[in-house]
Every structure is written in C-alpha cells, then in structure tokens.
Amino acid sequence: MSSDNMHAPIASGEPRGAATAVSRETRDPFDGLADDADSPLAAEMMATERRRRELETADFPKPPGTRIIAVSNQKGGVGKTTTSVNVAAALAKRGANVLVVDADPQGNASTALGVEHRSGTPSIYEVLLDDTPMAKVAQRCPDIDTLWCIPATIDLAGADIELVSVVRREFRLHDALKELLAGPGKDLDYVFIDCPPSLGLLTLNAMVVATEVMIPIQCEYYALEGLTQLMKTVEMVRKHLNRGIHVSTIVLTMYDGRTNLAREVANEVRSHFPTQTLEQTVPRSVRVSEAPGFGQTVITHDPHSSGAVAYMTIARDIAVRGAAGSESK
C-alpha cells in the first residue's frame, strides 16, 4: 500500500415516420410502461432504476480531510458489516480513496471485499499486538482499485483478552492509523472501521481513533434498547478518551415498509435522532445477502438491485453531509 497506488452510447436507428421521430438516446426506456397500480413491483423496479441513473451523474464531494468512521452496534445481525463494506464500496466506486479496517474476528468484511484472511495472513491482529505497520497488511479490493482492506483473521478472537495487559491498550489502533495517515495513507478520504458486535477493547480502540460513529439499526423491537446503551458508551469515550467523537449517522436496515413494526421503529428512531438518521433506508434484499458468497459487495455484484441503489444513496448522503459539515466550521 503506497501513496502512488492511491491515485489510481446506445446506437439509434432512423425514425419510421414523423410521428415517431423521437431520439432513443433521450427517451426514458420505461415510458412505454404504464404506471399500473396493480403492479407495485414493476413500479418499484422502475423507480429504483431511475434513481440509479440519477446517482450516476450526481456529485459525491470528497471530504477536505480523512474521515474516520467507526461502524458499531453491540447487537449482532443488524447489518453492521453489510453497511460498512457497501457504503465503503459505493464511495470508492465514485473515486474516493477508502480503507476498510476489519476489526471483527468473524472477518465478514474481509470476505465481502474479496481479500485473503485465512489464519496466518498478516492482519489487524499483528497491527494491534505486534506493532506491524498498517501499510504492510493492507490488501487492495480486487473489484475496485481505490478500495483497500486490512483483514481480520481468527487470531483476532483472543485480542480483547490479550490487549488487557498491553501498554496504551485503548490507543493501539489510534497510533497505528495515525502513522498510516501521516505516510502511505495520507491521500485516504475515508477509513471505515467495522467493529465487532460487542463493547470490548476492540470496539473501544475503534472509538478512540474515530471522529464519527455510524450506527446501523435493524427495524425491529429491540433496536432502541441497544441504541441507548451504545449512545452512553460513545458519550463515555467522548468524556474520557476522545473528545472529537460523535454519532454522525444512523442507518435503518432490513426495512420492510409493508409492516407496521418497521414503520413504527423508523418513526421512533427519527423522533429521537432526527439529524443523525438518514432518510434512505436499506430494504431487505436477496442480492445484498448473496453478494458476500461471491466475495463481493452488492455494489459490484448487482449495481441495478434495490440494495445497491439504497447503499449508493446512503453513500452520497454521507459524502454531502461531510462536505456541508466542513463548510459550516
């Protein structure tokens, strides 16, 4: 991983008559399909494709400096890793230099980004416990040139215990990442840290170095209980270890608008955290779920799917919010 590496028409036919002389380049391919109220699936597919085309030409402003975002939720199965890798891939796909730090012993982010993470592979474990420079363990994502991953292996499973006796145990990731950003990683626009589903030393290390926390929340009954506890943890870190950290983004995942429960949870979260909660939700999607099986994110696996478009929309919201926040300072 080096600073050098980080800088890395439809044919139309002749009209058959004056009444049909419409350019095929400018015509919406869905114009021939009526908005049939009896076919909500077709209407949804058309809306998704139109949104995807809008995003292709939308501006994704780069941040003035590296944004370090810890993606955390101590509750498992809420779409934390899925959100981490897909938002990272969406931003990288639009030209940003992005690093994903897989700090979860399960190594699911490493799987989704298609990087090697078998036992013995140089990983975040060696960074935290052996002072190995991050640049030596980072791997480029095979699908996107401006996306890198520092993998997690099964060795990381015991890191929470091993870190207890280490000097500056809460600052191990902080020191390693600051060294990277001062050297080979100076051109990184985003660093996403995929935290484990717990509030141990690995998550604490992520929060000590991060300036922002992104919280994915599944739209189900226990969502707010876990959110309250996580907010208290962030506040404790802010008071004692990292005064610059704040919860910047809440993403509602696995959203099914057909159920009253999903709508009620979404409304509840938005009422408590109106500025942090994004308007775009992540729908339940088979494409999102199957993408890691191909060693990919849904952004490259199926960019036309509803999940890919949702994550691309979220990525743009994050990019725009970051640019607006820097201008207001």
Side-chain angles (χ1 to χ4, degrees), residues 11-321:
S12 60
E14 292 296 324
R16 296 184 179 180
T20 59
V22 178
S23 168
R24 292 185 183 178
E25 286 87 350
T26 58
R27 186 177 64 195
D28 188 327
F30 299 121
D31 281 349
L33 298 175
D35 290 331
D36 187 354
D38 295 330
S39 182
L41 180 59
E44 182 181 338
M45 291 174 63
M46 287 187 283
T48 297
E49 181 61 16
R50 287 193 177 111
R51 179 58 181 157
R52 186 192 67 80
R53 294 184 178 200
E54 291 171 3
L55 289 166
E56 280 187 344
T57 57
D59 182 35
F60 282 61
K62 289 190 177 183
T66 306
R67 292 176 65 183
I68 305 173
I69 304 173
V71 186
S72 180
N73 192 325
Q74 76 273 21
K75 189 177 184 303
V78 299
K80 174 183 57 62
T81 297
T82 301
T83 298
S84 301
V85 298
N86 283 296
V87 171
L91 290 166
K93 196 72 175 172
R94 295 306 303 266
N97 294 311
V98 185
L99 171 67
V100 175
V101 179
D102 191 351
D104 187 343
Q106 297 176 83
N108 292 337
S110 306
T111 298
L113 295 177
V115 300
E116 183 61 62
H117 63 105
R118 287 178 296 181
S119 181
T121 302
S123 67
I124 190 64
Y125 176 85
E126 283 75 19
V127 172
L128 294 173
L129 276 302
D130 298 334
D131 294 318
T132 302
M134 280 185 153
K136 289 190 175 182
V137 303
Q139 300 180 42
R140 191 192 296 269
C141 174
D143 297 313
I144 306 173
D145 284 343
T146 57
L147 178 59
W148 289 266
C149 176
I150 294 179
T153 65
I154 192 62
D155 300 328
L156 194 61
D160 259 331
I161 297 173
E162 294 177 66
L163 281 169
V164 170
S165 59
V166 174
V167 176
R168 285 175 60 81
R169 60 189 183 185
E170 301 95 344
F171 291 86
R172 302 294 289 181
L173 185 57
H174 173 278
D175 295 345
L177 187 53
K178 292 303 180 183
E179 179 186 349
L180 177 72
L181 296 178
K186 64 181 183 297
D187 294 322
L188 285 170
D189 297 302
Y190 297 91
V191 176
F192 289 91
I193 307 171
D194 183 37
C195 300
S198 65
L199 297 177
L201 276 172
L202 290 173
T203 298
L204 189 58
N205 264 265
M207 289 189 180
V208 166
V209 69
T211 51
E212 304 176 42
V213 178
M214 180 194 299
I215 306 175
I217 296 178
Q218 183 181 359
C219 294
E220 53 105 65
Y221 182 74
Y222 294 111
L224 283 175
E225 288 187 4
L227 181 58
T228 302
Q229 185 179 355
L230 183 54
M231 286 291 190
K232 289 179 180 178
T233 301
V234 173
E235 182 61 22
M236 184 175 66
V237 172
R238 192 188 68 79
K239 283 184 178 179
H240 300 288
L241 296 168
N242 179 7
R243 295 192 63 81
I245 194 171
H246 67 287
V247 175
S248 65
T249 311
I250 295 176
V251 180
L252 298 170
T253 64
M254 306 179 199
Y255 181 80
D256 186 347
R258 298 170 299 178
T259 66
N260 290 333
L261 178 61
R263 292 195 298 270
E264 288 169 5
V265 170
N267 291 336
E268 190 76 7
V269 173
R270 288 195 173 106
S271 67
H272 283 85
F273 307 100
T275 58
Q276 295 97 329
T277 308
L278 298 183
E279 186 63 32
Q280 176 67 52
T281 58
V282 180
R284 290 187 178 274
S285 167
V286 173
R287 293 300 192 196
V288 171
S289 301
E290 73 183 14
F294 295 87
Q296 291 183 305
T297 64
V298 75
I299 301 299
T300 55
H301 177 61
D302 187 357
H304 294 265
S305 66
S306 60
V309 173
Y311 275 119
M312 191 65 79
T313 302
I314 288 168
R316 183 171 187 272
D317 287 346
I318 289 170
V320 170
R321 283 175 169 224

